[in-house]
Amino acid sequence: MSSVIFYGFAFLAIVTALVVVTSRNVVHSAFALMVTLFCVAAFYVYLDADFLAAIQLIVYVGGILVLVLFGVMMTSGRLDMKLRADAGLIAPAVIVGLLLMGLLLYVARSDSAWKRQILVEDASQQAASHIAEQAKSHTELKAVRTTPVVRRFTASYSFSEAPDASARQMLSRHVEDTIRKTGLTRLYVTSVRSGRGSDRRIEVAVEKRRTTLMDPTRNLSAEELDAMTQALTSVIPGFVPESVQVVIAVEPVHMLLIEGVTDQAVSRLTEDMGLRVVEDEKGVVGLGDSVMMGEYLLPFEVTGLLLLVALIGAAVISRKGVVV
Amino acid sequence: MRQAVARELRSDEMIINMGPQHPSTHGVLRLELKADGEIVEEAIPHIGYLHRDFEKHAEKLPYPQIIPYTDRMDYIAAMNNELGFCLAVEALFERGGKPIEIPEKGQYIRVIVAELNRIASHLLAFGTYGMDIGAFTPFLYAFRDREQVLGLFEEVSGARLLYNYIRIGGVARDLTPDFHHKTRRFLDYFEPQIDTYNDLLSKNKVFLERTRGVAVMSAEQAISYGWTGPNLRGSGVKWDLRKDEPYGIYDRFEFDVPVGETGDCWDRYFVRMEEFRQSVRIVRQALHQMESSGLLQSDEIMGKVRGTIRPPAGVVYSRTEAPRGDLGFYIVCDGTEYPQRLKVRSPCFTALSAMQELSRGLMVADMIAIIGSIDIVMGEVDR
Amino acid sequence: MRDMELIAEGVRTGLAKATQTLGLGGEWPLALPLNAVVAAMYIALAAVSVGIVAAVPIILVLAERKVSAYFQDRLGPMRVGPWGLLVTLADGVKLLFKEDIIPPQGDRTLFRLAPYVVFASSFAAVVALPVFPSAILGNVSIGIFYIMAISSLGALGIMMAGWASNSKWSLFGAMRAAAQIVSYEIPLGLSILMIVMTTGTLNMQEIVQGQSDGIGDWLVFRHPFLFGAGLIYFISSIAEVNRTPFDLPEAESELVAGFHTEYSGIRFAYFFLAEYANMFIVTAILTTLFFGGWSSPLGGEALLPGAVWFIAKAAVIIFVMMWIRWTLPRVRVDQLMNLCWKYFLPISFVNILGTGVLLLLEGEGIGLKLGEAFIGVGAVSWVVVPVALVVTGLAAFSGGDAKPRAVRPLTPSSS
């Protein structure tokens, strides 16, 4: 279902982008650009980057596009301009265009981190061998690797009587301070919740972000877990020690690294093996470590180059003296 | 300096047409605005949409039959128009040596209805001004009170808006037996309302921001443009025909003449608010004087006038203080029952003539504030 | 999407059980493809959202007419339905049957598209409002941020409408509206920033949950800086929805009807609906962020269910909005911009500073100790800050009431 909507957005983005470039009416181009940028925001949502999607809407659609529209509407000059460049410029333009297109395609199909990372729950503690065996029978997937991954633990605080509203905030801050003091990186408090079924318990979940199979040191190691357990079970400021009990619970998950990206194949794999998917990390531009400055630096720079080319082109086209 | 530069640069000048069908131009007025973005460079009023040829008609009508036509000039303050005309004709008689004796009751009734009509007219000015600026509620309050005045007029003359009531030599009908009770009740109800209106609109910060300092007209400029009435008084000139050249029995009443300070839109508007109080005072005094001299029992409201009115030949220019200014009637009489020439000096016409001066350098939104503050009625401008 | 598929499975099995008990055969629902069920669920969600956006304006239009009538010493619509209750439906039917006039010289495509863009932005924002404590149509983790983002689409729809009408007046109105909306988004965003600073989350439900300890826990009453933020948010939101005193874009007496002058019939109805829906949305956000959303003044969900409290609070705020509309005149465009940039923005910055300082102090546990009792910094600031303001105000504005100075003395003309 979601792929249908995605294709819809993709189609809309392409069509409106074509309208932007080919339309004779400048105002039509501007409004088509609005739709294109809106579709880009939708793409961000599909990449699990909600925040970026909202920023895209606010900054581009609500800010820059309004600016563009003001400019376009105020210069009530010629709205129907037929632009034609010199014949001599066509050949170099085609060559440069093809080069840039080739670069874009190469980048899009390059296989850096574009693999699926799925976290599945390992109830039987034997998932590793189980998975590796089963995966051999799914031939459409190129490779399946699996590793036990520790990336989240929950510190559960039980009080002798129901805590007040500020307890949650204090606990969360305490955990954050502890993390800072132990000097561990990429650990974040993701949620502070009342315990299920008991209002005398508060659960603080801590997650290590950007774990990956590529680099085992990126997961939560045993030493880190020990350090955190020790630090967290020590004195908590603001609470009388006897009334609080701390239990650290670790989520046992396995990470599957799969090459081959169809949703259906992946879901069949996990269903057949009876695994419960904890989280499906398709995102490459989510919060946490910036991928843009890491694995995707080349595409990022290429995009910037394209922007520059477009600006120069626009300036060249709009200067006086061009045949109209 | 700015204008010279603007002419050279030929920046984005738009010609915007306000009206003739526009909610805020108080009738059919077409304002041609040359605007540079939001700033108005020139505002040229185009009038004549309501021209009904009153003056030409008057040359073919016997004098009493002209009175309904005078109603329809400034249709908001019809009684004052009638009063002006009748006084002019009576002045003709006086100049010709045959003065008409208007009975006391007739004089008092004339004053009462003229001042009540002033209240009604200023109520409309207040309400529509608020509405133009964007405050919708004062409009409805104003009309609620105006309904009461119109009810009084309906009792007295039979009509709500165009009365044909003040006649040459007096008034057409006597007051109803409890007219003075009803009028007193209205005045008692209305006087505290003026404070309510001031609290609601006049002292409102947003209203002040919109009207204070906008379109300032100095006293010299106002006089040179021929402004009269509340517009002139807003600019600080204390000139009111009822005090300075009293007609009828206005010299028997005690009232003040409110005068503004800076001559901006707010001053012109506030002069009208203060005139409410003075009109209430005058009507109260008139009623009291009528009561104490036992006139309420009398029924002499019309002087000794023939059926056909033939004033002695002559020329007269007579003026009265209408709610919008100095309304003048210039009549050339050749001794027949029709006037040879009748010309009206309309205060709204002269007020509108200063539009260009007032609006230079202001914004489009201020145009609305200006038109409302000078309180024009196109019926009188065009006649 | 995984969650949706899980829910769809649940729906499928539930449907199977239902049809079984009703005797319609319990096997065929399980055979329905999951994708179709998910699609049907999305459509149902969208329908609910559209329903809200359509139903709320119906009530609000009637409320506006009655409220304005009573303010103006009259009765309002009385004949259409008992006490005039069906008047909005009558209006809607009338608008449906009106002739569809499209300005001949205008841009037909954009003219037709504009009402839908404006309507779509309202409709998309309704989804994220936390009316119920337990369920929310779209519990987005970036709740309030999403609503801000989607609302900025409305400005574009207005510009489209103004441009496509091919009338200088409409264009004027559209430009002013866009400038107004974009400018007032800034104090709006800064006020929201203060809320996010204090609660630490963008999620609407969590923001409400953080205020569910009674009326003293409502963010607007925590300390004067948040109160100021609430006030600025309220006034900015009136500017965002283009209501008097900020209704220049639709100024009836100046530009006839501004950017929607040329619209008639059902197209005009869309703008109308979108305006009232927007009013409801900004009021709902104000309620959620500052006034505790669905929590009752006695904490949690005492006395009445959460949704009722939410609607009641929103209704009170909407009434205040209407009250303001029928009392105050319209502000001129330069005064409006002046207000935003020269007054609201600096005040918002001061508020942020104050909020940050107080948060810091609260975190350190600083407060006033009176014997056994401990009064938090927030409560103390309620005394300290107003006193400071009064003292500063007296010092700055001493010397009596300044005479209003002429803003634009007339330059001597050449005549």
Side-chain angles (χ1 to χ4, degrees), chain C residues 9 12-17 19 26-34:
Chain C
E9 270 193 57
R12 220 167 42 172
T13 27
L15 196 58
K17 265 193 237 147
T19 47
E27 292 307 316
W28 58 268
L30 289 170
L32 288 172
L34 208 59

Side-chain angles (χ1 to χ4, degrees), chain C residues 89-348:
Chain C
L89 289 175
D91 275 346
V93 170
K94 171 199 81 172
L95 285 169
L96 266 171
F97 283 112
K98 278 205 168 181
E99 180 186 349
D100 186 17
I101 303 174
I102 302 184
Q105 305 294 340
D107 196 327
R108 299 178 84 97
T109 330
L110 290 181
F111 189 83
R112 278 183 219 172
L113 203 53
Y116 302 121
V117 172
V118 175
F119 187 73
S121 83
S122 315
F123 148 52
V126 162
V127 171
L129 298 175
V131 183
F132 302 96
S134 47
I136 196 180
L137 281 176
N139 197 359
V140 202
S141 58
I142 52 161
I144 183 63
F145 204 44
Y146 160 76
I147 295 183
M148 260 193 80
I150 282 287
S151 311
S152 55
L153 270 182
L156 283 164
I158 291 177
M159 289 187 77
M160 223 191 255
W163 171 261
S165 306
N166 196 41
S167 148
K168 279 194 199 103
W169 292 107
S170 303
L171 193 60
F172 244 19
M175 296 293 191
R176 281 197 208 168
Q180 180 180 322
I181 291 178
V182 165
S183 307
Y184 275 92
E185 266 176 17
I186 299 178
L188 211 72
L190 289 176
S191 303
I192 294 178
L193 175 65
M194 275 179 258
I195 297 290
V196 175
M197 267 167 75
T198 314
T199 52
T201 169
L202 286 169
N203 191 329
M204 300 281 260
Q205 280 286 27
E206 285 184 25
I207 294 178
V208 177
Q209 278 162 0
Q211 298 178 63
S212 42
D213 254 352
I215 195 169
D217 213 21
W218 290 358
L219 281 167
V220 76
F221 295 128
R222 292 242 184 121
H223 49 78
F225 297 109
L226 275 177
F227 186 77
L231 210 57
I232 288 186
Y233 181 91
F234 180 59
I235 303 176
S236 302
S237 62
I238 299 184
E240 285 283 309
V241 294
N242 291 336
R243 285 184 66 83
T244 326
F246 305 112
D247 67 344
L248 282 152
E250 320 172 334
E252 281 153 14
S253 11
E254 294 181 31
L255 302 176
V256 189
F259 61 89
H260 54 72
T261 311
E262 302 290 334
Y263 281 86
S264 61
I266 199 67
R267 299 188 207 280
F268 173 73
Y270 271 113
F271 280 115
F272 211 50
L273 282 178
E275 171 173 336
Y276 283 97
N278 271 337
M279 225 172 90
F280 174 67
I281 290 167
V282 292
T283 313
I285 299 173
L286 184 68
T287 317
T288 310
L289 295 181
F290 289 93
F291 287 98
W294 45 254
S295 66
S296 104
L298 300 167
E301 275 190 80
L303 292 182
L304 293 168
V308 175
W309 279 114
F310 186 87
I311 306 258
K313 291 180 203 174
V316 169
I317 297 177
I318 290 181
F319 174 74
V320 174
M321 265 193 189
M322 292 184 179
W323 187 0
I324 293 178
R325 176 183 189 184
W326 297 110
T327 309
L328 293 179
R330 196 175 294 130
V331 174
R332 211 174 50 208
V333 69
D334 64 326
Q335 294 166 344
L336 183 137
M337 291 301 180
N338 204 30
L339 183 68
C340 172
W341 294 95
K342 288 201 206 160
Y343 291 93
F344 279 179
L345 211 55
I347 297 178
S348 296

Side-chain angles (χ1 to χ4, degrees), chain B residues 14-16 22 24 37-38 133 136-137 140-141 144 204 209-210 212 216 357 360 362-363 366, chain C residues 71-73 168-169 172 176 252-254 326 328-332 334-335 403-404 408 410 413:
Chain B
M14 277 202 290
I15 297 187
I16 305 178
H22 195 275
S24 310
E38 191 77 22
I133 302 281
F136 305 103
T137 312
L140 286 138
Y141 290 167
R144 175 196 56 191
N204 185 305
E209 288 283 319
R210 285 294 295 266
R212 262 274 179 231
V216 173
E357 180 79 27
R360 201 171 290 141
L362 296 179
M363 301 215 265
D366 292 327
Chain C
F71 273 124
Q72 292 164 356
D73 203 11
K168 279 194 199 103
W169 292 107
F172 244 19
R176 281 197 208 168
E252 281 153 14
S253 11
E254 294 181 31
W326 297 110
L328 293 179
R330 196 175 294 130
V331 174
R332 211 174 50 208
D334 64 326
Q335 294 166 344
K403 232 171 144 77
R408 249 191 307 261
L410 202 62
S413 62

Side-chain angles (χ1 to χ4, degrees), chain B residues 74-91:
Chain B
D74 179 358
Y75 38 78
I76 314 271
M79 292 288 195
N80 298 81
N81 294 18
E82 296 174 8
L83 183 60
F85 177 70
C86 292
L87 284 173
V89 178
E90 287 153 15

